[in-house]
Amino acid sequence: MLDLISKNDFMPIEELRALQLGKLQKLVAYEYERVALFRRRCDEKGVKPRDIVTLKDIAKLPFMMKSDLRDEYPLGLTASPMKDIVRFHCSSGTTGKPICIPNTKGDIEVWSEAVARCLAMYGITEDDVLQVTYGYGLFTGGLGLHYGGEKRGCAVLPIGGGNTEKQLMLMRDLGVTAIACTPSYFLRIMDVARQQGIDFRRDTKLKHGIFGAEPWTDEMREKIQDITGIKAHDIYGLTEISGPGVAGSCGKSNGLHIWEDHYYPEIIDPETLEPLPDGEEGELVFTTLDRFGTPMVRYRTRDLTRLYPEMCACGRTSRVMARIKARSDDMLIIHGVNLFPSQVEAALLSVPEVEPHYQIVITPTDTLDILEIKVEIKHEAFSDNVREVEALRKRVFDAVKNITGLGAKITLVEPLSLPRSEGKIKRVIDNRV
Ligand code: ADP
Ligand code: ZN
């Protein structure tokens, strides 16, 4: 029997589109009535809620951006009275001043269901023990996975980030089978496990890793799976649209299903702002169809991806987006060449003698900017032999050059010498800004 949590995953396409249109019309009318900024922008464009007759008409509506949330801070985009608000979240502020998102009880309910649907898709059941190491508090990671995990019926361990030795102790003592964290924090957990002689296959019951909140490459996923034997799943989301669980990976394709009955996706050209057809890469835009505390209409995420034009082999009808390789504002321009940190990660992970711990440092000079990549050498590969080290440096240089087209200064550093993270990691130090 189909799990009730997952029933909408397989809704026939026509039914899904009709459901989305009905919700969109209701949402636009609601937002127009209650949020002054939205009403003003619609009026400027000469568009009224009644002009939304088909889903394509969404393109007539104005966009919303993070700067709107900052300008209207704290409650200018709130559409519900305070009596209906049950919780605030704020973005973690990776890129500037935080923004504030009030949620209603219904918003939390829909979001928990979205997370529970991801968990069900990963194969997680009420028999699983879920360790949530995402931060609890204003950040959506902890509470998002917590409520979603409970909704799925898991036994949730709400440990939050940090204290890695204790994480490993409880993981073993309580028979944890699934862990939710940033991929960079899981690397840290893997380090400490190795130092303590813990082998994930032999000493733990861990089967699932639920990784998100920051970009991570296919190469990183393979590495984690190889070393630990767990299945590494991707979970995506952002505070403005609710939090983690907007989309998740099913394992049949290399992308993530978006729960389209709640979150309507579009891809736009970030320059012209025109909608792009499925298959083309651009900026991901969401309209929240079931949120009423802080609804978002055509919210520009700044995340770059594409929607697969074909149906997924798993049979779910919701569209699949390619894994997020970067935010548009993560892109570095070096010597006139566009560089994404994920390209560096993919290059480094193709060299077996180095660890997936790296840092990208850009230093301006009077002439060309210097791109330096610091990467840790594996313990086993550590050597005093200058020729061997030089040969390894050359291999890393070539791997980076191959993928990025850039000649970087490669600095090989000792194992465990680069900073680790308990949440989102900062891998780029750009001294030009
Ligand atoms: P902040 O914008 O302050 O970092 P959030 O915690 O809301 O606040 O972060 C959401 C952002 O994190 C997304 O827009 C995206 O850039 C990134 N992100 C979240 N999940 C993933 C994922 N699975 N893969 C890649 N990036 C992700
Ligand atoms: Zn699928």
Side-chain angles (χ1 to χ4, degrees), residues 121 250 252-253 257 312-316 320:
M121 182 164 62
C250 70
K252 287 273 184 206
S253 68
H257 283 278
C312 185
C314 74
R316 288 182 178 79
V320 173

Side-chain angles (χ1 to χ4, degrees), residues 53-195:
V53 181
T54 68
L55 280 172
K56 281 211 157 55
D57 292 330
I58 197 169
K60 296 177 178 162
L61 295 167
F63 291 104
M64 287 179 168
M65 296 185 55
K66 197 157 203 158
S67 53
D68 295 330
L69 283 155
R70 292 210 182 102
D71 296 345
E72 298 287 316
Y73 177 86
L75 300 176
L77 296 185
T78 308
S80 290
M82 202 47 75
K83 75 172 173 50
D84 294 336
I85 301 299
V86 298
R87 195 196 302 164
F88 294 107
H89 275 290
C90 292
S91 93
S92 52
T94 320
T95 51
K97 188 169 126 184
I99 47 115
C100 177
I101 304 285
N103 285 259
T104 64
K105 197 169 183 144
D107 296 342
I108 302 283
E109 189 49 41
V110 167
W111 174 25
S112 309
E113 182 221 281
V115 175
R117 273 162 82 176
C118 287
L119 300 180
M121 182 164 62
Y122 303 147
I124 292 174
T125 68
E126 50 278 308
D127 294 325
D128 280 290
V129 181
L130 172 64
Q131 180 163 356
V132 179
T133 85
Y134 284 123
Y136 279 66
L138 291 175
F139 174 52
T140 49
L143 286 165
L145 262 298
H146 183 101
Y147 275 65
E150 286 191 354
K151 184 151 195 97
R152 184 64 189 138
C154 302
V156 177
L157 176 62
I159 185 163
N163 203 342
T164 309
E165 285 81 8
K166 187 167 163 197
Q167 301 268 5
L168 282 162
M169 183 186 86
L170 288 175
M171 181 188 289
R172 282 186 294 164
D173 293 351
L174 298 176
V176 167
T177 53
I179 186 163
C181 55
T182 56
S184 52
Y185 186 47
F186 194 67
L187 293 180
R188 167 85 187 128
I189 294 177
M190 284 163 63
D191 280 345
V192 176
R194 192 172 46 193
Q195 282 160 11

Side-chain angles (χ1 to χ4, degrees), residues 8 16 35 58 97 100 119 126 166 184 200 317 344 389 403:
N8 282 359
L16 177 60
V35 176
I58 197 169
K97 188 169 126 184
C100 177
L119 300 180
E126 50 278 308
K166 187 167 163 197
S184 52
F200 283 91
T317 47
V344 172
V389 174
I403 293 190

Side-chain angles (χ1 to χ4, degrees), residues 385-397 412:
N385 182 319
V386 180
R387 283 215 343 254
E388 270 174 29
V389 174
E390 204 37 58
L392 175 56
R393 195 199 321 275
K394 176 81 173 56
R395 278 205 299 287
V396 176
F397 177 91
L412 300 172

Side-chain angles (χ1 to χ4, degrees), residues 30 64 80 120 155 221 236 344 405 411 415 418 427:
Y30 174 90
M64 287 179 168
S80 290
R221 184 181 56 204
Y236 167 86
V344 172
T411 307
L418 291 176
R427 294 207 191 271

Side-chain angles (χ1 to χ4, degrees), residues 336-356:
V337 176
N338 297 347
L339 173 74
F340 287 108
S342 57
Q343 295 175 296
V344 172
E345 180 173 303
L348 296 177
L349 289 178
S350 70
V351 181
E353 294 89 348
V354 300
E355 294 281 359

